[in-house]
Amino acid sequence: MKPKKAPVYNHLKIEKKWQKEWAENGTYKTEPATSKKKKMYVLDMFPYPSGAGLHVGHPRGYIASDVYARMKRMEGFNVLHPMGFDSFGLPAEQYAIQTKKHPGPFTDKLVAQYKKQLEIIGFSYDWSREVSTHRPEYYKWTQWIFLKLYDAWYDTKKNKALPIDELVALFEKNGTKNVHAVTDSAETFSAKEWKSFSQLEQQEILMHYRLAYEGFAEVNWCEELGTVLANDEIVDGPTGPVSERGGFPVIKKSMRQWFMRITAYADRLAQDLEGLDWPNSIKEIQKNWIGKSEGSEISFEIKTADSDIGEVSVFTTRADTLFGVTYIVLAPEYPFIEEWQNSITNWSEVQKYIKSVSQKDEMERTSADKQKTGVQLKGLVAINPANGEEVPVWIADYVLANYGTGAVMGVPQHDERDYAFATQYKLPIIDRPLVDKIEITKKVDGKIVTRYKMRDAIFARQRYWGEPIPLRHLANGLISEVPEKKLPLTLPNVKSYEPSGNGESPLARVAAWTKEGYETNTMPGWAGSSWYFLRYMDPTNAKAFAGQKAVDYWKDVDMYVGGAEHATGHLLYSRFWHKFLYDMNYVPVKEPFKALRNQGLIGGADGRKMSKRWGNVINPDDVVKTYGADSLRLFEMFLGPFESHLPWSTEGIIGSRRFIERVWRLSGRVRENHSARESSVILHKTIKKVTEDIQNFAFNTAVSSMMICLNEFEKSGVSEKDFKMFLQLLAPFAPHITDELWSELGEKKSIHLSGWPTYNPKLLIEDEVTIGVQINGKVRAELTIAADASKESIESAALALPRVQEYLSTMTVKKVIVVPGRVINIVAQ
RNA sequence: GCCCGAGUGGUGGAAUGGUAGACACGGAGGACUUAAAAUCCUCUGCCCUCAACCGGCGUGUGGGUUCGAGUCCCACCUCGGGCACCA
C-alpha cells in the first residue's frame, strides 16, 4: 500500500481547530465539588489587564502551570485551573481622568483583549469560572469580608480573631480587666465606666481593637495636583521627590485612612511559613518583612533636678548590655516630650529640631550621608534601673517612633549606631560586663516582649476605581455598616474622575453619596486579590463568597505560580485574610497556598528588561502566528530553568519548531507492529524523566529528554503504541499538535482526557553500562561491562585494559574504589 | 551595611560527591537541488598538532576536605533580588 502522504504541518489551522473543539466539548471543565475524584487546584496569579498588552515573558508562568495542570488532569485528578482578572486599579483610573470616560467599559474591553491573547496560547482554563474583581457580583464579597474584619478583634490568649460582640460583652462584664487583645490603646476602664461612656466614646475605643480600623497615616501629598499619590507615581527630583506627572513636589501629609490590623497575625504569619512548600527566598523575604525580634522592655525614670516627672520604656534585644548605658534617646515624635516642656531648659532648641525633622521626608531622613543628628533634652535625666546611674536624655531622628517603644537605651560600646551617635556628641563610651538578659530584665521589673517590624497595612485609597468601603458616617459621628443584604454597595457614577483637590476621593464630590454619609475612600488594589482563589471554587454563588461544600472540597491551592515581586504584598495579605477567615470558621485550612513557584523574568534579546522604551518587546501573538502556540509553549519551557531570568531568543525558538515538525513527520512513519527495543527503552526512561521533571517544575530538562527520545525514534523506528505514549507525554507542552496526531491515529477522545503513561521498570534496567576508568582521579579509559557485574570483576576487567596496564607499568596500585555503574578509580603511585 | 540567590563553551543551558559541557541555538564541512530555502549526515570547550593519536588545561579567584569537587567547607571578587538607622 502506498503510504499516505502526510499533509504539511499548518499550525494556524490545527490550533484554531482544536481550541474550538475544546471549547465546544468542555474538555477542560472542572467537575463540581461533589466529584469522587481527588482534587488538584493549580492556580496562576491573575493578571492586571493593562493597556500595554502582553509580551512574551508574561505567559511563561501560565504555560508552566498549564503543563502541570494538564499532567495532573491526565493523571486522573479533578483539576481546578481557572483564570480571572485583577481589574480595579490605577492605570484604568488614569485612563478615566485623561479621557473623562468611565473606567468600567474600558476595563471590560481590556479584559476581553487579554483573554483573547491568552486563548490563542491554548491554556486549559475552565473559563466558566472566570472572575473579575471590578464586577459588583464579585466585590460584593470583598465588601462582605471587609465587614467581617471590621466586626472582629484579636484575642491574644485564644490566639485568634473573634467577633467584636464578644469584646463588647467582655467590656460590659469586667471592663478591660482580663481582656487580652491586640490593640493600639493602653486605656483601661471598668465595666461601670464602659457603660457610662457615650456611644461615640465606645465606638472610638472599639476602633482601637477592630481588625479593620480607622486612623491617620502619612501619605504622599502633591499640592499642585491636589491629590494623594501612590509610590509608583513618584520619582526622584533634584530637590526631593516629585510627581511623575508634571514633576510637582510631593510631601508627606497626615490623612484619615482605613487600616488592616495585620500585625495581630505577625507571629502566625511568620510561624506558618515553616510548613509551606515555597521557594526559600520568598519565605526569607516574608520573614524579614515581618521582622520578629525578641527582647525586653525596660523602664527608665525621668527626673528633673528636683522631681520625678515620668518614665520612658525602652525596647532592647540587648538587655545584657544594660550596665553599659550612657544615655537614652527618644524619637523626635515621642508623645510625652511636649508635656515635659516646662522641665526642659533648652525647649526652643528642641522644638526647632523636632520641626526640622518633621519637614524632612523619609528619603532625606534615611539618606546616604548617615550623619546622625540629635538634641539633648537639657534639664532631664534618666535613671538606669540596673544601677541607679543618671544618664542624659536625647532626642534623635535615628530612633523611629513606630518601632519598639520609640525610645532606645544608648550603649555605644555594643551598638554601632549608638557608637556613631556617642562619638558625634561626645557622650561617654563605657565598657561594662555583660549580664544575663532574662535575669536582668526580671530584676529591673522589665518585660520580655516580642516586637515586629511589620506595620499595619493601609486599607484605603483616595481614588475612584476601587471597591467602595461599605460604611456610613452618620451625622452624629457614629459609623454604621451597610447591611449584608444591601451589598454590594456599588460605585456611583461620577462626573469627573479628577481628584477632588483636597485629597479626598472623587466620590467626595458625589452629592448622593455623601448625603448618605458613605465612606469616600475606596479599597486598595490588594483587596480583591486577597481572596479571589476562594471565589473560583464557587464563582457564581450568590449567597456566599463560596459555598461550604465547595470550600471543603477544594480547601486550598495545591500549586500557585506567579512572580516573586508579590512576596511582601499579595502573598502576605492573602495569607492574612485567609487566616482571619479560618479563625471565623469560613475556610477549613490555615494557609491558602500549599506550594508556590516563581517564574523568572524573560528579558529582551539584548539582555535588558523587555520594554517599549528599548524597543525589544516581543509580542506572543506574533510568535504564535509565525511559529505556533505549541512551539511557543515548548520553547518557553525549554529556554532554561523555570525560576531563572533569561533573555528571549528569536533564533532559539526555531529549535522548538523543528522538534514539533519532526514529531509531525515521524507520525507519518510509525508502523503498527514495529518493535524497536532501543526505542521502547528510551521511551520508558523518558516517561519517568518527564513525569518527575514536571512534578519538580524542571520543564527544560523534560523537553530535552523528549528531544533525546525523538532522536532515537527517528534512528530506530517506533511502534504506534510507543509513539502514542510519546504524544501523551508531549501533550501538556504542545496540546494542539498532539491532539491532532492522536485523533489521526484513530483515537476518538481528546488526548487530554486520556491517561498519563506509566513506565515499565523492567525496561529501565540496562544490561550493559559504560563506566569511566580513572587513574588517580583522571579519566584514562572507558570500560563497558555487564550492569550487574560484581565490584571484583569490574576491578579486574579495568586493570586488564591495555591503556590501564600502560599507565600502571611504572606504578604500584595502592587502592581501588569501585562505584558500580558509575566509575572506577585506581589509586596508584 | 545586613539577609537570600547565582557565576560552567561563541550563546541558552545539563550534570543523586562519581566519565563536565546532555539537549538546543549558532558555526564549519558534506548530501539532495540547475540554484536557493527546507531537510538529512558529520564535526564543533580551550591549548599543542597540517591532521589524528597522545598529552596538557578547564565550571568567577585563592585555599581546604575527599580515592574523586561544578557540586561540600573557609575567604575573597562580580552580578541579581530583598531589607535598610527596626534598637
Side-chain angles (χ1 to χ4, degrees):
Chain A
M1 199 171 79
K2 230 171 116 185
K4 200 172 69 181
K5 193 166 182 271
V8 180
Y9 170 56
N10 179 340
H11 63 263
L12 289 174
K13 224 170 108 190
I14 290 169
E15 290 175 359
K16 210 170 147 196
K17 165 183 163 189
W18 286 101
Q19 282 165 16
K20 201 171 147 223
E21 191 107 359
W22 298 332
E24 278 168 7
N25 297 339
T27 308
Y28 305 122
K29 195 146 170 58
T30 305
E31 289 180 25
T34 47
S35 170
K36 290 277 183 302
K37 284 187 184 173
K38 270 202 190 157
K39 69 102 181 184
M40 174 59 59
Y41 190 173
V42 182
L43 182 64
D44 292 304
M45 289 185 189
F46 65 168
Y48 177 84
S50 90
L54 286 172
H55 69 62
V56 121
H58 293 119
R60 188 174 182 200
Y62 307 151
I63 295 169
S65 66
D66 195 54
V67 168
Y68 191 85
R70 283 174 180 277
M71 178 175 87
K72 292 292 166 192
R73 195 178 291 113
M74 288 170 79
E75 283 179 338
F77 288 93
N78 181 21
V79 172
L80 177 53
H81 187 45
M83 182 44 94
F85 301 92
D86 188 12
S87 41
F88 268 135
L90 209 47
E93 175 122 6
Q94 281 164 345
Y95 163 87
I97 292 170
Q98 276 158 27
T99 62
K100 305 196 190 308
K101 284 185 191 154
H102 194 281
F106 172 68
T107 301
D108 288 333
K109 206 178 96 200
L110 286 179
V111 164
Q113 245 174 42
Y114 219 93
K115 196 170 158 185
K116 214 170 180 178
Q117 276 197 298
L118 292 175
E119 273 169 341
I120 57 167
I121 301 175
F123 294 118
S124 64
Y125 296 128
D126 179 352
W127 282 110
S128 71
R129 290 177 183 253
E130 177 188 347
V131 304
S132 284
T133 55
H134 77 289
R135 305 223 161 103
E137 315 85 82
Y138 180 89
Y139 71 68
K140 169 179 181 177
W141 299 106
T142 312
Q143 291 174 332
W144 182 85
I145 295 171
F146 172 86
L147 288 179
K148 293 292 163 197
L149 282 154
Y150 177 71
D151 272 334
W153 62 292
Y154 200 90
D155 186 322
T156 54
K157 259 266 165 66
K158 290 185 177 145
N159 206 18
K160 65 186 284 199
L162 293 170
I164 199 84
D165 296 348
E166 291 186 28
L167 182 66
V168 172
L170 288 175
F171 283 165
E172 278 170 359
K173 207 167 141 212
N174 287 317
T176 45
K177 211 171 125 206
N178 296 328
V179 169
H180 305 277
V182 175
T183 172
D184 48 46
S185 159
E187 202 183 338
T188 59
F189 47 80
S190 66
K192 210 173 140 199
E193 284 172 302
W194 170 257
K195 283 172 204 154
S196 74
F197 293 147
S198 70
Q199 264 189 303
L200 210 55
E201 284 166 327
Q202 289 185 348
Q203 169 174 295
E204 200 161 303
I205 289 166
L206 289 175
M207 203 55 94
H208 293 286
Y209 291 82
R210 295 179 188 274
L211 292 184
Y213 64 94
E214 198 179 27
F216 283 82
E218 304 234 298
V219 294
N220 305 307
W221 172 253
C222 180
E223 187 65 45
E224 280 77 2
L225 295 176
T227 187
V228 174
L229 297 175
N231 286 332
D232 283 354
E233 297 174 295
I234 299 169
V235 293
D236 269 337
T239 56
V242 297
S243 61
E244 191 173 36
R245 200 155 42 93
F248 303 116
V250 175
I251 58 161
K252 291 281 175 193
K253 186 180 170 186
S254 183
M255 282 189 75
R256 187 180 65 88
Q257 301 284 349
W258 284 89
F259 290 83
M260 284 286 160
R261 207 177 296 282
I262 187 173
T263 49
Y265 285 85
D267 199 43
R268 284 164 66 187
L269 287 169
Q271 213 67 46
D272 292 346
L273 282 171
E274 300 296 329
L276 298 178
D277 175 13
W278 283 25
N280 241 328
S281 55
I282 301 285
K283 289 196 199 179
E284 282 299 320
I285 291 171
Q286 288 208 350
K287 234 182 262 173
N288 292 341
W289 184 262
I290 294 165
K292 180 176 181 172
S293 66
E294 311 207 3
S296 310
E297 255 181 49
I298 294 170
S299 282
F300 284 65
E301 261 178 65
I302 303 296
K303 285 182 161 172
T304 61
D306 42 51
S307 66
D308 228 345
I309 58 163
E311 58 174 39
V312 162
S313 177
V314 302
F315 174 67
T316 179
T317 55
R318 294 296 307 274
D320 52 334
T321 64
L322 189 55
F323 285 90
V325 172
T326 60
Y327 61 97
I328 72 166
V329 208
L330 315 178
E333 301 88 349
Y334 198 80
F336 299 116
I337 296 177
E338 216 149 304
E339 279 176 36
W340 296 336
Q341 60 176 287
N342 292 331
S343 312
I344 297 169
T345 56
N346 59 337
W347 178 243
S348 65
E349 193 192 349
V350 169
Q351 229 177 351
K352 213 173 108 199
Y353 180 71
I354 294 174
K355 201 173 163 213
S356 79
V357 169
S358 73
Q359 280 170 344
K360 282 190 208 171
D361 59 76
E362 225 167 306
M363 279 180 195
E364 244 179 289
R365 201 165 152 176
T366 59
S367 74
D369 71 62
K370 295 226 166 168
Q371 183 77 280
K372 293 212 168 14
T373 63
V375 168
Q376 186 179 356
L377 302 183
K378 288 185 180 153
L380 302 186
V381 289
I383 309 299
N384 185 334
N387 54 15
E389 277 176 9
E390 288 189 357
V391 293
V393 182
W394 286 67
I395 55 171
D397 69 354
Y398 83 91
V399 176
L400 306 174
N402 46 16
Y403 182 74
T405 58
V408 303
M409 57 189 211
V411 189
Q413 179 69 21
H414 293 283
D415 184 279
E416 233 180 277
R417 295 156 301 183
D418 296 346
Y419 181 84
F421 190 71
T423 317
Q424 172 131 3
Y425 292 103
K426 308 209 165 42
L427 292 158
I429 299 163
I430 55 172
D431 191 8
R432 294 278 175 78
L434 299 178
V435 292
D436 185 85
K437 285 180 188 173
I438 295 176
E439 267 173 38
I440 190 71
T441 303
K442 276 188 196 150
K443 211 180 130 198
V444 301
D445 261 341
K447 282 189 294 191
I448 303 288
V449 294
T450 305
R451 291 283 181 172
Y452 303 92
K453 273 192 241 182
M454 184 170 64
R455 315 269 161 81
D456 281 342
I458 298 179
F459 193 76
R461 298 291 182 265
Q462 294 70 47
R463 302 281 184 177
Y464 175 74
W465 195 230
E467 300 88 345
I469 291 174
L471 294 174
R472 291 169 63 196
H473 299 271
L474 306 182
N476 57 14
L478 291 177
I479 295 174
S480 93
E481 301 177 25
V482 174
E484 192 179 324
K485 56 175 187 290
K486 290 247 178 97
L487 296 179
L489 174 63
T490 52
L491 267 176
N493 284 320
V494 297
K495 285 204 191 79
S496 157
Y497 303 92
E498 291 285 344
S500 61
N502 59 3
E504 286 184 54
S505 139
L507 294 182
R509 282 196 306 221
V510 180
W513 191 259
T514 49
K515 203 180 99 214
E516 293 295 318
Y518 286 127
E519 170 64 54
T520 56
N521 283 310
T522 53
M523 297 189 199
W526 56 271
S529 63
S530 290
W531 70 281
Y532 74 108
F533 47 92
L534 295 169
R535 189 62 178 170
Y536 285 136
M537 295 174 180
D538 193 8
T540 54
N541 196 316
K543 296 211 172 72
F545 67 86
Q548 197 62 45
K549 255 203 195 122
V551 174
D552 284 341
Y553 176 77
W554 291 108
K555 285 193 180 71
D556 51 13
V557 175
D558 295 280
M559 181 54 75
Y560 197 26
V561 178
E565 69 274 17
H566 298 107
T568 55
H570 162 63
L571 285 170
L572 203 57
Y573 298 135
S574 305
R575 293 182 61 220
F576 159 47
W577 277 33
H578 201 78
K579 285 183 185 305
F580 169 70
L581 293 173
Y582 172 77
D583 285 353
M584 305 304 271
N585 292 321
Y586 291 118
V587 295
V589 291
K590 286 192 263 191
E591 284 286 334
F593 314 121
K594 257 200 299 232
L596 173 73
R597 299 291 179 267
N598 301 125
Q599 77 271 24
L601 298 175
I602 293 182
D606 53 5
R608 287 190 288 210
K609 210 178 147 182
M610 222 177 249
S611 101
K612 264 190 198 149
R613 190 171 156 204
W614 305 119
N616 56 1
V617 176
I618 307 285
N619 178 305
D621 302 32
D622 297 338
V623 178
V624 166
K625 214 178 206 170
T626 316
Y627 296 96
D630 284 338
S631 296
L632 173 73
R633 294 170 59 106
L634 198 75
F635 181 59
E636 292 219 4
M637 293 298 95
F638 178 65
L639 200 55
F642 180 62
E643 65 287 354
S644 299
H645 293 209
L646 298 167
W648 175 258
S649 161
T650 300
E651 280 162 352
I653 193 172
I654 199 77
S656 299
R657 167 74 189 199
R658 280 182 196 149
F659 171 76
I660 285 186
E661 286 186 16
R662 282 162 58 202
V663 172
W664 179 263
R665 285 198 299 269
L666 182 66
S667 180
R669 299 206 308 268
V670 296
R671 274 154 291 169
E672 217 160 302
N673 293 312
H674 182 89
S675 93
R677 188 181 152 76
E678 285 296 310
S679 289
S680 294
V681 167
I682 210 107
L683 171 70
H684 285 261
K685 271 190 192 167
T686 306
I687 293 172
K688 181 167 190 280
K689 177 82 176 147
V690 170
T691 309
E692 289 168 359
D693 279 354
I694 293 177
Q695 189 62 47
N696 297 328
F697 269 57
F699 304 105
N700 56 329
T701 49
V703 175
S704 88
S705 71
M706 288 188 285
M707 288 173 168
I708 294 168
C709 186
L710 181 71
N711 289 346
E712 185 61 41
F713 283 180
E714 286 179 336
K715 219 170 85 187
S716 312
V718 60
S719 69
E720 190 179 304
K721 183 169 156 258
D722 281 359
F723 184 71
K724 279 163 89 172
M725 283 206 258
F726 178 79
L727 287 180
Q728 287 173 311
L729 287 184
L730 183 58
F733 294 88
H736 310 87
I737 189 178
T738 48
D739 225 355
E740 174 76 11
L741 295 178
W742 183 254
S743 82
E744 245 171 49
L745 289 169
E747 294 285 346
K748 294 276 175 286
K749 233 170 76 182
S750 169
I751 190 170
H752 305 297
L753 300 175
S754 72
W756 186 250
T758 51
Y759 63 89
N760 178 356
K762 278 186 200 150
L763 282 170
L764 298 189
I765 299 164
E766 316 217 28
D767 308 335
E768 275 196 333
V769 287
T770 301
I771 67 171
V773 180
Q774 299 181 334
I775 294 168
N776 291 334
K778 297 211 171 184
V779 181
R780 299 296 185 185
E782 281 188 348
L783 176 66
T784 301
I785 195 161
D788 56 355
S790 68
K791 282 192 178 191
E792 291 74 20
S793 55
I794 294 172
E795 185 175 331
S796 55
L799 287 170
L801 289 169
R803 291 261 300 134
V804 173
Q805 296 255 310
E806 213 176 288
Y807 269 96
L808 294 180
S809 60
T810 58
M811 296 192 271
T812 42
V813 176
K814 295 269 178 213
K815 196 172 165 189
V816 179
I817 288 126
V818 182
V819 185
R822 287 286 179 186
V823 79
I824 169 168
N825 191 9
I826 299 161
V827 185
Q829 231 174 16

